[in-house]
Amino acid sequence: MLKTALQPKWIGTLALALVLATVFVVLSAWQFSESSSEPPPTQEITETPVPLTEVHEPQRPMTVAEADRIVDASGEFLEATQVLVEERLQNGNSGYWVVAAFRPDDAPDDNIIPVVRGWVADPAEADELPAGEPVEIQGRLLPPEAPGPGQRGMSADGTQIFPTLSPAELINVWDEPGYSGFLVAFETLDASGTELGAASSSSGMEPVQVDPQPETSDINWLNLFYGVEWTLFAGFAFFFWWRLVKDAHEKQLEEERLDREWQEQWRAEQLALRQQTQAKD
């Protein structure tokens, strides 16, 4: 079989199998690298308040390590930026998130971030926005939602209503540079420490409580399966070459056996013919 494998045709086929196997191994390594993703931060990290500007930078995507963090921010709400986000559930009831643009004092280039101030069942229950007043906010930092399809509505008092909370869409509406994520405010305090948000007893809004996401496995089993699959393909490339060589070798042996049998039969026939000729003489 080695003699068959060393024929130029099969050496060339082996080289092709090596190229294919190399490609499969590279794809396998890539899938294995993709199967292990960055794990989300533990609750010990997410529930420890940190300044917003220390964990998230404006105008860039939010990472897994930044999402769900409880952050503090000092600044002010921008006038005439309050909007509503529809179809938000609170204790089984559908209503609206009350959202406004907030500019942190230490945000680079005066970037703003959308802040969920509270939940209301009716747009008329939303509190007036304390625009231009210095406030301290503590809340959970969340990744953006995609812009929703369909028409944007308007409440009876002229407040815009959106289907999703997309910071990219709101930034265009407010015409201000901003962060990619948004905040759900747990408390909003003025300079004297008085609650101005939904946590106030006089507020018509209800606080929105968002818990951290449950910890999940950092292994992507689908990518891991694909990695194993590409490894098997690499092995199959060599198996396929070996099978072709083995079939060619067995075919050659069969042809040689048939040649020997034909030659033996021809010699037997020639011998019988000579014997008949000699008997006649």
Side-chain angles (χ1 to χ4, degrees), residues 144-220:
E145 298 177 358
Q151 296 287 334
R152 273 49 180 164
M154 194 81 70
S155 68
D157 63 356
T159 303
Q160 287 183 282
I161 301 176
F162 295 86
T164 60
L165 204 167
S166 168
E169 182 176 13
L170 292 177
I171 285 171
N172 288 329
V173 172
W174 295 329
D175 194 24
E176 295 279 352
Y179 289 79
S180 65
F182 65 92
L183 286 179
V184 174
F186 297 157
E187 62 179 25
T188 304
L189 307 178
D190 64 11
S192 64
T194 302
E195 174 63 51
L196 300 178
S200 170
S201 58
S202 60
S203 174
M205 305 182 297
E206 295 182 18
V208 176
Q209 186 64 39
V210 180
D211 296 325
Q213 296 297 312
E215 295 182 16
T216 57
S217 171
D218 58 350
I219 296 178
N220 187 319

Side-chain angles (χ1 to χ4, degrees), residues 96-116:
Y96 304 84
W97 276 357
V98 181
V99 181
F102 181 78
R103 175 172 287 141
D105 290 334
D106 52 354
D109 300 322
D110 291 332
N111 279 266
I112 56 95
I113 187 168
V115 172
V116 179

Side-chain angles (χ1 to χ4, degrees), residues 10 12-13 17 21 67 83 86 103 177 203 210 213 218 222 240 259-260:
W10 298 118
T13 308
V83 298
E86 63 185 357
R103 175 172 287 141
S203 174
V210 180
Q213 296 297 312
D218 58 350
L222 182 60
F240 187 64
D259 286 343
R260 286 195 303 270

